[in-house]
Amino acid sequence: MQDNSLPYELVVIGAGPHGLIAAHTWLELYPESRVAILEAEEEVGGTWAKGRIYPGMMTQSPVGKIEFSCYPMPPPETTFLQLMSGSHVSAYLEAFSQHKSWAGKSLRDRVKFKFDVDSVSWAEIDGARLYTIRSSSGESVTCRKLMVATGLTNIPYLPAFKIEEGKEFLPPIIHCKYLAKNADFLLSPAVQKVVVLGGAKSAFDTVQMLINGGKEVTWIIRADGAGPACMGDPKPPPIFGLKNSSELVSTRFVSKLSPSIFEPVDAWARLWHQSKIGIAISAFFWRLITLKWWTAAGYDRDERLLPLKPDRPVYYVQTLGIANAADTWETVAKAKVVRKGIERLSGRDVVLSGGEEVACDALIACTGWDAKVGFFSTEQSAGLGLPVDLKEESVSDRKHWEALIEEADKEVLLRFPRLEEQPAFPTGKGRTSSAKLYRCMVPTNPEFNDGSILFLGHFITRDTMTLAEIQALWAVAHMNGKLSKKTEEEMEEDVALVIAWRRRRYLGDGHTFLFDGHEYYSQLLRDLGINDVRKSSGWREIFSPYDVHDYRGLIDEYKAL
């Protein structure tokens, strides 16, 4: 019988895909461990929790790419080019949380719901670190190992709107995180005119929901921001027998055409990224993808869609979505798209730069997320290598890292001469510093790289659940001392190399590696000593798309090492 007064061996903060598979992986390897999962909401699933599924919500990933390899997803009843409803994913994650037990308890049995983490502290006790996690209600738990799996879509970012003096803004301002919770109100007769702010994929989804609900939508996308999301065509080119565009970018052939810092410098890398003919072919391929996706959208055929044309080509996109309904473009064309900023809010009006007034019954902000982890202080975040507000970043830290990044940039250009070109595109202003996490998970600070704490899902790429599954196995191995130990200097150099590469490959310090997820997974598998070449033949390895089924049995392979 377990003593509930003892610290947990592991606490996972967050019951989304990353948190669930992390706890699952730990328990598969250490089934008698005391493990708790802390979740602020009343359901598992994170972004895919039942309470966040709004009307018409569809996945951007097709069948075979949005499930865990260890737990096959039942076939959805209906699909659009292999894309499925968000409710199907929500039900899958709920089922996953209950499908297996260890020491008599399932994952769901281990979740402490409505545990809204307010702070984390730590102390050295008997030569070991003990973490204390406190909720906003005063409850607390302690643990020896802590995985933070809150991800990058947890803390909504709302801009500071200027309110005209004496004219309080009356309509509700709703961040898209709460779209599902407010759907009944937004689709009710009380709401007829809605302003949607932002150009991300979430804005496209919001506009589609509202237009389908019969609302009059004014869609505001700032002229000086990152612009509209690049919306990919779900239909694949007629090659390789592909079922959808996601399969195209999941082939090794295509991934090799992206200059990825996560790959070793092999013959393929030298061909595509260091030879003139390879660079030319690679550039031509990315231009073809841009042409295909933009032609499918019809930006130049319909003047109503022209303001939604991305400001940068596919190769450099930082925000990507998939047109996941047959009538996506026909629907969003019914909105009035305005490429201006908001000057102020006044009464029931949104006043745009230039003075135009737009009356509304609700303002929906699809304005992104705060990259910080809110329950750590600025001092704690800096020590852990987490993003902090730029104005709060210490001068010495900035100088230290910029010197490392400047040196790493030389290596990036040596590997990828094409990246010396630095085109300028409109982009949003960064609000926080970059995360400084080794392998995008581990603090480089010697005080915290001992395996007691790490961060999961702190960047975004394709195939989120595959990312979560492979990160989880790497994380468990790291926390239990099963990986090669790196010095602080080695870890910092690796982090600097990734940041320098990202600044050139994606032209910014963001948290998105859209076309390099597969290479990152391979790097983690190589660290683990697991074969990252998962196909049965050389031809299939290059031209056959990767999906979750290719990663089945990872835990067993790890156990056999």
Side-chain angles (χ1 to χ4, degrees), residues 8 36-41 110-115 139 141:
Y8 288 96
I37 306 171
L38 310 181
E39 172 53 51
E41 303 298 332
R110 298 165 191 270
V111 180
K112 294 180 180 293
F113 291 105
K114 303 297 289 181
F115 195 110
E139 186 179 359
V141 298

Side-chain angles (χ1 to χ4, degrees), residues 105-364:
K105 297 175 69 176
S106 68
L107 292 177
R108 200 178 199 287
D109 294 333
R110 298 165 191 270
V111 180
K112 294 180 180 293
F113 291 105
K114 303 297 289 181
F115 195 110
D116 187 8
V117 177
D118 180 67
S119 66
V120 177
S121 59
W122 49 84
E124 300 295 326
I125 299 177
D126 297 330
R129 184 177 298 114
L130 194 68
Y131 291 92
T132 300
I133 304 101
R134 293 182 174 83
S135 74
S136 53
S137 64
E139 186 179 359
S140 67
V141 298
T142 59
C143 64
R144 302 195 184 282
K145 306 283 187 182
L146 177 60
M147 293 184 181
V148 180
T150 49
L152 286 172
T153 56
N154 182 47
I155 305 175
Y157 170 74
L158 275 176
F161 296 107
K162 179 182 178 181
I163 309 296
E164 186 170 343
E165 188 175 353
K167 293 188 176 181
E168 176 188 357
F169 188 63
L170 301 175
I173 300 174
I174 302 167
H175 190 274
C176 61
K177 177 178 181 178
Y178 307 109
L179 190 61
K181 292 182 179 179
N182 290 277
D184 288 345
F185 163 70
L186 292 168
L187 297 176
S188 72
V191 175
Q192 294 299 317
K193 298 180 178 181
V194 185
V195 167
V196 175
L197 173 63
K201 173 62 169 60
S202 57
F204 280 80
D205 290 345
T206 300
V207 169
Q208 288 183 84
M209 186 192 87
L210 294 168
I211 294 293
N212 287 330
K215 309 305 176 183
E216 181 182 327
V217 177
T218 302
W219 188 354
I220 299 171
I221 303 174
R222 291 189 299 123
D224 60 348
C230 178
M231 297 294 289
D233 177 14
K235 297 178 181 179
I239 57 173
F240 306 155
L242 302 174
K243 301 185 189 73
N244 47 65
S245 284
S246 180
E247 289 194 340
L248 175 66
V249 294
S250 296
T251 62
R252 287 261 191 199
F253 174 75
V254 171
S255 68
K256 292 290 186 182
L257 296 179
S258 178
S260 178
I261 207 66
F262 305 119
E263 285 280 90
V265 182
D266 57 13
W268 282 100
R270 287 190 289 271
L271 169 64
W272 295 122
H273 306 298
Q274 295 181 7
S275 71
K276 289 184 178 180
I277 187 170
I279 291 172
I281 292 173
S282 174
F284 178 70
F285 167 81
W286 289 104
R287 285 196 295 270
L288 281 182
I289 292 294
T290 299
L291 178 63
K292 182 185 185 307
W293 287 4
W294 289 5
T295 300
Y299 299 120
D300 298 321
R301 297 194 306 270
D302 189 332
E303 63 180 12
R304 298 175 301 171
L305 294 175
L306 198 55
L308 295 176
K309 189 173 184 178
D311 293 335
R312 56 178 69 190
V314 170
Y315 184 79
Y316 289 112
V317 295
Q318 293 180 328
T319 305
L320 177 68
I322 293 292
N324 51 14
D327 60 351
T328 292
W329 297 110
E330 177 184 343
T331 301
V332 299
K334 296 176 182 178
K336 178 184 177 183
V337 183
V338 182
R339 296 295 301 272
K340 294 182 179 180
I342 293 178
E343 182 178 297
R344 66 184 185 277
L345 306 180
S346 176
R348 304 197 69 85
D349 295 330
V350 174
V351 183
L352 306 179
S353 54
E356 180 183 356
E357 297 181 352
V358 180
C360 69
D361 301 309
L363 168 58
I364 303 180

